[in-house]
Amino acid sequence: MSIILSGISYRYYNQQPLFESVNLSVGTGRKVSVTGNNGTGKSTLLKLIAGELECYSGSVAHSSQPYYIPQQIGITGITVSHALAVTDKLEALYAIGYGSDRQIHYDRLADDWDIESRCRSALAHWNLSHIKLTASIDSLSGGEKTKLFLAGIMIHRPAVILLDEPTNHLDTSGRQKLYDLICGSKATIIVVSHDRTLLNLLEATYELSAKGLKLYGGNYDFYRQQKEIEKNALEQQINTEQAAMLLARRKAREVRERQEKRAAHGKKNKGQIPRIMLGGRKNNSEKTTSRLQKEHAEIIAGSHRKLNELYRKQDVVCDLKIDFEDTRLHYGKRLVSAKGINFKYDNNTELWEHPVNLEICSGERLHIFGDNGTGKTTLVRLVTGELLPATGEIIRSDFSYICLDQEYSKINTTKTVLELAHEYNRHHLLDHDIKLRLHRALFPQDMWNKKCNILNGGEKMRLYLCCLMIFDHVPDLFILDEPTNNLDLSSLSILTDTIKNYRGTLLVISHDRKFIDEIGITACIGLKRTESPLQT
């Protein structure tokens, strides 16, 4: 086996366990995913396997040191060669090339004579040819950092690979390269991701939850089918048990009513029946009634216990339903008209290879696509008026808009969850109504005083949609800038349903092909930058 986890548990300092007694066994060359809601500990599990964290209990074993790419690459202050862990070999190679015959250089190089050419080839494969090995990693964008560490896989050829949300900052071509790498690799691979295309390339799916780690023997689509079967079976069990409990209650009520009728009849005929016979009948009746009542009470109590057990097995579902009304604008009204626009940064180079011509009318659903650095976000800021074009003309009508970006910047505040919800309460809803909406969005009372800026991606998305529901204002234009990057799959489902129900104008930047396919895009705008290292 390449990776074996035996009864591992992990807890943060002075907190409840994040997960307990987790077992996992991944064979050599197997490619699997770990899925689950935000906060269940998927990233923590990968860090434990990588050796970056220590288990509270249990053990981790693997056949070789894993090559680990974290979700957030927070490394700073080092060169690209240091990040790729090739500095010592390159220095040894250069020293030998300059005539050194010191044994230490030959030991460090270890016959890895093509290390420099492999580095350059790997960087070129990931479209990073413009980045020097001596450059600082601080100068790289999020997407470039991810590509850099993926290039490291080609350089080092590890036997075990751990990937935590590897597609978050990748453009479409980068994602395709990653898919090809995973399909062609013979390494043992564990992936944490919300990218359904990527998840469907993997052989098996593990679900991490408070109940533990459960194996589903197939890719993501198979996993979803099995989850649906489990959900339907559980609902059927609940319905059956509820029906049994209702029947037991009805029978208990009938027994009670019969006893009351007998008691009333006995009082009516009390003088006509000998006392000794009356007493015997009463005792027998009371014993029978007591026995039946006890039996039904036990059945009802047993049903209660079974139902509570079944309810605990159910997944917690967000009851946040936002059905936007139609916007005030009639269909087809021109919102934005741009002719021959381009933009220049400080180096005075035009951003786009060809000037952009664009028309946005109400009711349209537009997808802006292009590789990293092609100015997708810049185009959105030109559309909203935050930036002015260097060339060309852009005309805007009067319209309202809301922008949902990948960092959920409107939620990055030190306000508490409850304070932010009240900030959006323009219709003066009662405090009880605000709290009821928060509860439906899976924000119970113990989260109301939590700071918004420490929420995870799924929580920020749910809170923002909840605030929009409280605000009760339908925007004319909904802008989504890589909104799926930091979401778990259940949060992604909520967002997808919300956008599908929205009947206004949509402007979307996303590399998530399945998300784009599901939200009903009507037109696409492709961007290509002028050859330069500019980033979005």
Side-chain angles (χ1 to χ4, degrees), residues 3 46 49-50 66-70 160-164 188-190:
I3 301 171
L46 288 191
I49 298 172
Y67 186 92
Y68 168 57
I69 302 180
V160 178
I161 301 171
L162 309 176
L163 303 174
D164 191 355
T188 304
I189 302 175
I190 301 181

Side-chain angles (χ1 to χ4, degrees), residues 59-347:
S59 63
V60 177
H62 29 64
S63 56
S64 65
Q65 181 58 35
Y67 186 92
Y68 168 57
I69 302 180
Q71 180 177 356
Q72 300 293 338
I73 300 174
I75 300 171
T76 58
I78 61 172
T79 65
V80 168
S81 66
H82 273 93
L84 291 172
V86 295
T87 300
D88 287 348
K89 284 181 178 287
L90 288 173
E91 288 178 350
L93 179 66
Y94 299 152
I96 293 170
Y98 281 116
S100 173
D101 59 357
R102 294 180 62 191
Q103 187 60 41
I104 189 172
H105 292 143
Y106 287 91
D107 291 342
R108 284 178 178 173
L109 188 58
D111 290 330
D112 206 352
W113 296 99
D114 65 342
I115 183 64
E116 184 177 20
S117 61
R118 286 212 319 277
C119 288
R120 297 197 185 285
S121 175
L123 291 176
H125 178 80
W126 290 98
N127 297 329
L128 299 176
S129 298
H130 60 284
I131 295 174
K132 295 181 178 179
L133 292 167
T134 54
S136 170
I137 196 173
D138 299 346
S139 64
L140 274 57
S141 69
E144 286 176 328
K145 286 180 181 177
T146 301
K147 289 178 180 179
L148 177 67
F149 281 87
L150 289 170
I153 294 174
M154 298 178 66
I155 295 166
H156 295 289
R157 306 181 188 112
V160 178
I161 301 171
L162 309 176
L163 303 174
D164 191 355
E165 296 290 0
T167 62
N168 264 7
H169 300 287
L170 293 183
D171 52 32
T172 302
S173 63
R175 289 185 180 214
Q176 188 57 54
K177 282 181 169 63
L178 174 63
Y179 302 154
D180 294 342
L181 183 153
I182 287 176
C183 289
S185 175
K186 298 188 183 307
T188 304
I189 302 175
I190 301 181
V191 178
V192 168
S193 179
H194 67 273
D195 183 330
R196 290 162 288 180
T197 302
L198 172 56
L199 295 176
N200 275 328
L201 299 177
L202 305 172
E203 304 163 12
T205 305
Y206 287 86
E207 182 188 63
L208 183 61
S209 69
K211 305 161 196 169
L213 191 65
K214 182 175 180 179
L215 170 63
Y216 291 82
N219 65 10
Y220 178 72
D221 284 345
F222 177 83
Y223 160 74
R224 291 305 307 163
Q225 291 167 5
Q226 294 304 304
K227 289 290 288 184
E228 191 64 25
I229 292 170
E230 286 180 1
K231 177 187 171 188
N232 293 337
L234 188 57
E235 287 176 353
Q236 182 60 46
Q237 284 181 276
I238 289 172
N239 291 337
T240 301
E241 207 55 55
Q242 286 175 335
M245 188 166 67
L246 288 173
L247 179 63
R249 281 176 172 168
R250 190 177 77 232
K251 287 186 175 180
R253 186 176 65 250
E254 290 171 354
V255 168
R256 187 174 64 252
E257 288 172 353
R258 283 199 300 270
Q259 174 61 17
E260 289 171 354
K261 284 180 182 178
R262 285 198 192 99
H265 184 73
K267 286 180 182 179
K268 185 177 179 181
N269 300 316
K270 189 174 180 180
Q272 301 173 15
I273 301 174
R275 182 175 295 178
I276 189 168
M277 288 181 64
L278 189 64
R281 285 183 181 180
K282 183 179 179 182
N283 287 339
N284 290 337
S285 176
E286 286 178 350
K287 285 179 182 178
T288 301
T289 301
S290 176
R291 177 176 56 78
L292 290 173
Q293 285 179 337
K294 184 178 179 182
E295 287 176 1
H296 291 307
E298 288 175 354
I299 292 170
I300 292 169
S303 290
H304 263 302
R305 286 192 299 272
K306 289 179 183 177
L307 278 172
N308 287 335
E309 241 175 76
L310 292 171
Y311 288 143
R312 279 195 295 271
K313 290 180 181 178
Q314 280 187 311
D315 292 328
V316 178
V317 178
C318 177
D319 189 25
L320 180 63
K321 304 291 182 185
I322 301 181
D323 293 322
F324 287 116
E325 297 175 0
D326 293 344
T327 67
R328 59 185 174 83
L329 299 178
H330 64 80
Y331 184 85
K333 178 182 177 179
R334 185 182 297 160
L335 303 183
V336 177
S337 178
K339 294 181 180 179
I341 64 170
N342 217 318
F343 188 79
K344 294 181 180 180
Y345 288 112
D346 293 339
N347 63 3

Side-chain angles (χ1 to χ4, degrees), residues 321-329 331 335 360-366 399-403 465 468 473-480 494-508 518-520:
K321 304 291 182 185
I322 301 181
D323 293 322
F324 287 116
E325 297 175 0
D326 293 344
T327 67
R328 59 185 174 83
L329 299 178
Y331 184 85
L335 303 183
I360 302 175
C361 297
S362 60
E364 291 184 330
R365 303 169 86 83
L366 289 88
F399 62 88
S400 63
Y401 70 90
I402 286 174
C403 184
L465 293 183
L468 291 182
H473 170 69
V474 184
D476 300 321
L477 175 63
F478 211 145
I479 300 170
L480 305 174
I494 294 169
L495 177 65
T496 302
D497 289 342
T498 300
I499 299 307
K500 284 163 69 174
N501 291 332
Y502 170 65
R503 294 178 181 85
T505 312
L506 197 63
L507 191 59
V508 185
E518 289 176 352
I519 60 176

